[in-house]
Amino acid sequence: MTHIDQAQAEYEIFPQEFKSIIISTVSQAGIPNASYTPFVMDDAKNIYIYVSGLAIHTQNILVNPGVSVLFIDDESKSDQIFARRRLSFDCTATLIERETEAWNQIVSQFQERFGGIIQVLRDLPDFRIFRLTPSAGRFIIGFGTAYQISGEQLDKLIHITGN
């Protein structure tokens, strides 16, 4: 197996190791905000988040749908703190309307993954589901092993070199 094949295989399973993602949003005034949220992901790599309308990141998404997400290994799992394994995507957020077929399907996926808390959240009218559609990304495995993610299915890794 080549290095790119190994990286490709690792990339495909990496997001499955996580229950939450770090998200970065920007307010209407241009002020950045970093936060986190639990998520579910579909086969097309769309990321769904179920967030309170009271949260700063939700308010930011409503005025600026550009979102960056980050999956990153826990510090305790890293041999080298400067080279933690990580995956980031540049995304566009789209609100999923409440009580639609799509919304109900996604809520069911959240219920499967996170249990009874989802029934509580479902009854709170301020909670919203957004689909974060990735357009590009980067997968960093360590020093010298950084890959640009491309392709319609975000399924192609291109090794980033110093050239």
Side-chain angles (χ1 to χ4, degrees), residues 59-78:
Q59 295 169 29
N60 288 350
I61 291 169
L62 290 170
V63 297
N64 185 352
V67 178
S68 180
V69 301
L70 176 67
F71 302 82
I72 187 166
D73 270 343
D74 188 278
E75 290 179 3
S76 66
K77 292 174 68 176
S78 180

Side-chain angles (χ1 to χ4, degrees), residues 22-73:
I22 297 170
I23 63 172
S24 178
T25 60
V26 177
S27 74
Q28 189 169 14
I31 299 168
N33 174 261
S35 189
Y36 88 99
T37 183
F39 75 98
V40 295
M41 181 183 270
D42 66 20
D43 292 337
K45 296 187 178 55
N46 292 305
I47 300 163
Y48 297 88
I49 59 173
Y50 200 11
V51 291
S52 170
L54 304 176
I56 292 172
H57 52 253
T58 304
Q59 295 169 29
N60 288 350
I61 291 169
L62 290 170
V63 297
N64 185 352
V67 178
S68 180
V69 301
L70 176 67
F71 302 82
I72 187 166
D73 270 343

Side-chain angles (χ1 to χ4, degrees), residues 29-161:
I31 299 168
N33 174 261
S35 189
Y36 88 99
T37 183
F39 75 98
V40 295
M41 181 183 270
D42 66 20
D43 292 337
K45 296 187 178 55
N46 292 305
I47 300 163
Y48 297 88
I49 59 173
Y50 200 11
V51 291
S52 170
L54 304 176
I56 292 172
H57 52 253
T58 304
Q59 295 169 29
N60 288 350
I61 291 169
L62 290 170
V63 297
N64 185 352
V67 178
S68 180
V69 301
L70 176 67
F71 302 82
I72 187 166
D73 270 343
D74 188 278
E75 290 179 3
S76 66
K77 292 174 68 176
S78 180
D79 293 333
Q80 175 48 258
I81 197 68
F82 285 94
R84 287 165 67 189
R85 222 174 28 144
R86 57 204 179 272
L87 169 63
S88 63
F89 286 118
D90 300 329
C91 302
T92 301
T94 306
L95 181 66
I96 305 295
E97 293 298 324
R98 281 184 80 86
E99 302 303 332
T100 61
E101 185 178 332
W103 188 89
N104 285 316
Q105 183 180 32
I106 296 161
V107 167
S108 293
Q109 291 172 1
F110 271 95
Q111 180 91 35
E112 269 181 46
R113 189 160 194 206
F114 299 107
I117 186 66
I118 299 305
Q119 188 57 49
V120 173
L121 300 180
R122 185 182 191 134
D123 294 337
L124 298 174
D126 70 299
F127 268 75
R128 295 168 169 85
I129 295 175
F130 289 95
R131 177 180 57 241
L132 307 180
T133 305
S135 57
R138 282 195 173 204
F139 185 44
I140 313 298
I141 298 173
F143 290 122
T145 51
Y147 300 90
Q148 187 71 35
I149 301 166
S150 64
E152 280 186 38
Q153 308 294 313
L154 293 174
D155 58 351
K156 293 183 180 29
L157 297 183
I158 301 165
H159 190 232
I160 300 170
T161 62

